[in-house]
Amino acid sequence: MTSTNLKIAIDGSAGSAAPYEQLRAQIADRARSGRLPAGFKLPTVRGLAEDLGLAANTVAKAYRALEADGVVETRGRNGTFVAAAGEGAAREAAAAAQAFAERAHRLGLTRAEALAAATEALRARYATP
């Protein structure tokens, strides 16, 4: 399944990620790399669902996740647009880091222990040695 205007392909084979996650990841990657510029209007949920052969709820779920991540913004009936690069993601990352720091402090971890825990979590997530 492929969307011609966004060049999005959904792999329906066994073992592949859920369709909404594939869609979310591909749009996020294109927005962050600049291939989808800030202000680019995304297709409607129904239109993209039809293009990809997906349920509208699947596309809506991807759009909601993208909005929560600050990658896109919904402007009511005007549609969904790619957000200005980095603004939402940077705010979200800063809030998550602050919440982690507060929690680590409440747990009684030293700065070094908290940093080690965060580093290990990032290493595991990004699969770096």
Side-chain angles (χ1 to χ4, degrees), residues 2-129:
T2 304
S3 169
T4 54
N5 53 348
L6 286 179
K7 296 182 174 64
I8 299 236
I10 303 297
D11 180 0
S13 65
S16 59
Y20 90 90
E21 176 56 26
Q22 291 179 54
L23 178 60
R24 185 211 58 78
Q26 289 179 55
I27 291 174
D29 177 60
R30 284 167 178 76
R32 290 184 178 128
S33 71
R35 288 180 284 166
L36 288 178
F40 178 86
K41 185 175 181 179
L42 294 174
T44 65
V45 167
R46 286 187 181 147
L48 188 54
E50 187 177 304
D51 282 354
L52 295 172
L54 297 173
N57 285 341
T58 300
V59 175
K61 184 175 182 179
Y63 277 19
R64 283 191 304 272
L66 288 162
E67 189 166 22
D69 291 344
V71 175
V72 302
E73 58 188 13
T74 301
R75 300 178 189 163
R77 299 185 66 80
N78 292 322
T80 302
F81 297 81
V82 173
E87 291 177 8
R91 270 195 311 271
E92 183 78 19
Q98 183 62 40
F100 170 77
E102 289 174 10
R103 178 78 173 140
H105 188 264
R106 277 195 311 271
L107 291 171
L109 298 179
T110 66
R111 184 178 188 275
E113 290 168 333
L115 184 58
T119 300
E120 186 56 36
L122 289 167
R123 180 176 296 132
R125 176 64 182 109
Y126 288 96
T128 58

